[in-house]
């Protein structure tokens, strides 16, 4: 069964450093998402992406964050200058269409980001 | 604002006992409803979803959920719990309105422990 993959599984970085989290969505999906889950808290929406542009973003997704689909398969989340509070599990998801419509978002296993 | 409430943070049941995990949502229209499960160290796996039609939906692993519009609830049930069901369960709402393009709103999750 097709699945969303994410690399790395765990990333440790120093505060102020840039990190790039990578995701390979399911191949025929058109909509891509990033969510994060701070330890002990709920999963929060960050951004959705379609047709090479951001569809929607939350308040969390400030200027430090960016997303890109650099080629036909990868979908990346970049954090320009990490802060301690960016430590979280980051989930990538994809769907054939908008999940608010009639489709389902499929999630990857997550990347645990630890900022020291 | 739209929200999802899972009132139980942690539930412990005996193996073989029945299970009900509660989920309430706040939204003006009929939402799209999902239950995801997260096993330790794993990503989010879709258990079931409700979009329309029959209010009792069947999912994987023997789970079912019932949408009750009058109570704004979408409780997850399983008649006989297995030790492998120990995990964290998340209820989520997908919206389709002018202000949202498909992001999911999650509850805080309910951690299920199963005792032998």
């Amino acid at each position: 069964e097709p699945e969303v993959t994410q690399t790395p599984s765990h990333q440790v970085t120093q505060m102020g450093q840039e990190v790039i989290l990578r995701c390979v969505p399911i191949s025929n999906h058109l909509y891509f998402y990033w969510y994060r889950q701070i330890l002990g808290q709920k999963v929060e929406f960050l951004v959705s992406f379609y047709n090479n542009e951001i569809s929607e973003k939350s308040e969390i997704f400030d200027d430090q964050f960016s997303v890109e689909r650099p080629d036909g398969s990868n979908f990346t989340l970049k954090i320009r200058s990490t802060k301690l509070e960016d430590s979280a599990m980051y989930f990538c998801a994809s769907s054939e269409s908008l999940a608010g419509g009639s489709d389902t978002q499929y999630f990857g296993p997550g990347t645990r980001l630890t900022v020291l | 604002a739209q929200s999802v409430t899972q009132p139980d943070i942690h539930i412990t049941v005996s193996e073989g006992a029945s299970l009900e995990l509660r989920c309430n949502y706040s939204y003006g229209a009929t939402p799209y409803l999902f239950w995801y499960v997260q096993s330790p160290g794993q990503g989010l796996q879709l258990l079931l979803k409700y979009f329309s039609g029959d209010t009792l939906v069947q999912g994987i692993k023997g789970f079912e959920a019932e949408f009750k519009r009058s109570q704004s609830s979408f409780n997850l049930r399983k008649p006989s719990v297995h030790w492998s069901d120990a995990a964290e369960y998340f209820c989520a709402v997908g919206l389709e309105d002018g202000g949202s393009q498909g992001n999911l709103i999650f509850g805080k999750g309910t951690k299920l422990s199963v005792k032998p």
Side-chain angles (χ1 to χ4, degrees):
Chain A
E1 183 176 328
E3 59 183 20
V4 177
T5 60
Q6 290 185 242
T7 54
S9 57
H10 192 185
Q11 173 92 45
V12 181
T13 189
Q14 295 291 325
M15 189 170 55
Q17 295 297 303
E18 174 184 286
V19 295
I20 297 176
L21 310 183
R22 292 182 167 81
C23 167
V24 179
I26 294 173
S27 61
N28 64 330
H29 285 185
L30 301 177
Y31 294 82
F32 315 116
Y33 312 82
W34 283 101
Y35 291 79
R36 79 172 184 190
Q37 183 184 26
I38 295 172
L39 189 63
Q41 299 186 25
K42 65 171 68 177
V43 177
E44 302 171 288
F45 169 76
L46 292 178
V47 65
S48 59
F49 190 86
Y50 169 70
N51 199 26
N52 281 321
E53 59 183 30
I54 291 174
S55 300
E56 186 178 11
K57 58 184 180 180
S58 71
E59 294 174 352
I60 303 167
F61 195 88
D62 61 22
D63 291 345
Q64 292 298 311
F65 291 89
S66 63
V67 288
E68 191 179 29
R69 189 152 163 82
D71 52 44
S73 60
N74 290 284
F75 178 51
T76 62
L77 174 70
K78 182 193 289 187
I79 307 175
R80 226 175 308 278
S81 177
T82 51
K83 303 188 283 282
L84 294 176
E85 53 264 39
D86 293 327
S87 294
M89 179 75 89
Y90 288 81
F91 292 106
C92 174
S94 69
S95 67
E96 288 187 63
S97 63
L98 290 174
S102 59
D103 211 350
T104 299
Q105 292 182 24
Y106 293 87
F107 284 78
T111 293
R112 178 162 298 285
L113 176 65
T114 301
V115 182
L116 302 176
Chain B
Q2 302 88 357
S3 65
V4 176
T5 302
Q6 293 181 248
D8 303 305
I9 297 172
H10 191 182
I11 285 181
T12 300
V13 299
S14 298
E15 192 169 16
S18 64
L19 171 71
E20 182 169 31
L21 303 182
R22 296 183 289 165
C23 173
N24 293 94
Y25 65 89
S26 172
Y27 180 51
T30 300
Y32 302 97
L33 298 160
F34 305 81
W35 274 100
Y36 284 87
V37 60
Q38 184 182 26
S39 298
Q42 303 295 312
L44 297 165
Q45 181 184 22
L46 179 70
L47 282 176
L48 48 77
K49 59 186 179 184
Y50 171 79
F51 288 152
S52 64
D54 193 347
T55 56
L56 183 64
V57 293
Q58 303 296 321
I60 62 172
K61 304 184 180 186
F63 285 92
E64 66 177 26
E66 186 172 12
F67 169 58
K68 292 186 177 180
R69 184 190 306 274
S70 61
Q71 298 177 18
S72 297
S73 69
F74 188 56
N75 294 348
L76 181 72
R77 301 195 293 249
K78 186 169 184 178
S80 177
V81 167
H82 187 262
W83 65 266
S84 61
D85 294 325
E88 190 149 19
Y89 291 79
F90 293 92
C91 181
V93 164
L95 309 176
E96 189 176 57
D97 61 23
S100 173
Q101 297 188 34
N103 58 292
L104 296 176
I105 297 173
F106 283 83
K108 288 188 175 181
T110 298
K111 184 176 180 180
L112 173 66
S113 298
V114 181
K115 57 184 181 182

